Amino acid sequence: MGADNERMNPSSPLADPSPPARAARGRMEDLVAIAHRTAEAHALWPELVCAIVEQESAWDPWALRYEPAFYDKYIATSLTARRPDRQASRLAALTSSEIPDDPTESRARAFSWGLMQVMGQVAREHGFTGALASLCDPAVGLEIGCRVFAAKLAAAEGNVTRALLLWNGAGNQDYPAAVLARIARYA
């Protein structure tokens, strides 16, 4: 059955959608296009980046998740392992991958942000100096996410499964298969 017939069938998922559904579909197409362009700019497989986005945030640019175990393991231990430098400027704290003695910034680094759910600390480690909340801007979050994933892929010597495990922190051995199963949707 052709696309025209599907549009005329009211029970078809492609039936003429309501205005909000059309807007959502248009927004999704825009996000996929940004993901493709950003992936290509980082020499990544666009379909894989889209599959990661779907797995991580279901294409919700405002996705946000606090990771208390990440905070306890990486942030809190770093804060207690050194004496805080009360003379350090706020700008220096934001432009350093070292954990600052700033409760808002240190907690924000334990959140995963935006489409690719990039951890705030990981973004800082990869040179991101902007406000961490701006990772919810699709263009910003995809840029940093692709930068980080390209580094994971390089560390895995091009092995996509290992790169996906690194991306996910290796806590879920099923994660690569779940992502790879989504690729066909974006081919």
Side-chain angles (χ1 to χ4, degrees):
M1 178 168 19
D4 290 332
N5 291 338
E6 288 173 350
R7 259 189 247 119
M8 294 189 319
N9 178 354
S11 64
S12 167
L14 297 176
D16 188 27
S18 65
R22 280 194 304 272
R25 187 176 346 164
R27 176 72 173 150
M28 174 74 170
E29 290 169 0
D30 292 344
L31 294 174
V32 169
I34 295 168
H36 272 254
R37 282 192 306 272
T38 309
E40 289 168 354
H42 288 273
L44 296 172
W45 187 13
E47 294 84 355
L48 178 59
V49 170
C50 289
I52 292 169
V53 169
E54 182 181 330
Q55 178 71 27
E56 291 291 335
S57 69
W59 292 98
D60 179 1
W62 300 106
L64 182 67
R65 180 179 165 167
Y66 178 61
E67 306 277 354
F70 183 93
Y71 182 85
D72 293 342
K73 185 173 182 178
Y74 299 106
I75 307 296
T77 56
S78 176
L79 288 171
T80 58
R82 63 183 169 79
R83 291 184 347 181
D85 179 1
R86 301 284 181 205
Q87 302 303 316
S89 73
R90 177 140 171 85
L91 178 61
L94 294 177
T95 59
S96 170
S97 63
E98 184 176 309
I99 310 297
D101 185 32
D102 174 318
T104 300
E105 173 71 13
S106 63
R107 288 286 176 179
R109 289 182 182 208
F111 277 81
S112 55
W113 300 87
L115 290 171
M116 291 186 77
Q117 290 292 280
V118 176
M119 295 299 298
Q121 177 62 22
V122 173
R124 293 288 189 234
E125 290 169 356
H126 286 267
F128 183 68
T129 60
L132 290 172
S134 66
L135 292 169
C136 290
D137 176 307
V140 173
L142 285 164
E143 172 61 32
I144 298 302
C146 286
R147 182 185 307 170
V148 171
F149 189 71
K152 302 294 185 190
L153 192 58
E157 299 175 338
N159 182 308
V160 172
T161 298
R162 284 191 8 232
L164 287 167
L165 284 170
L166 290 172
W167 173 264
N168 188 249
N172 177 359
Q173 296 300 306
D174 297 326
Y175 181 81
V179 170
L180 293 172
R182 299 172 187 277
I183 287 176
R185 295 180 181 148
Y186 303 100

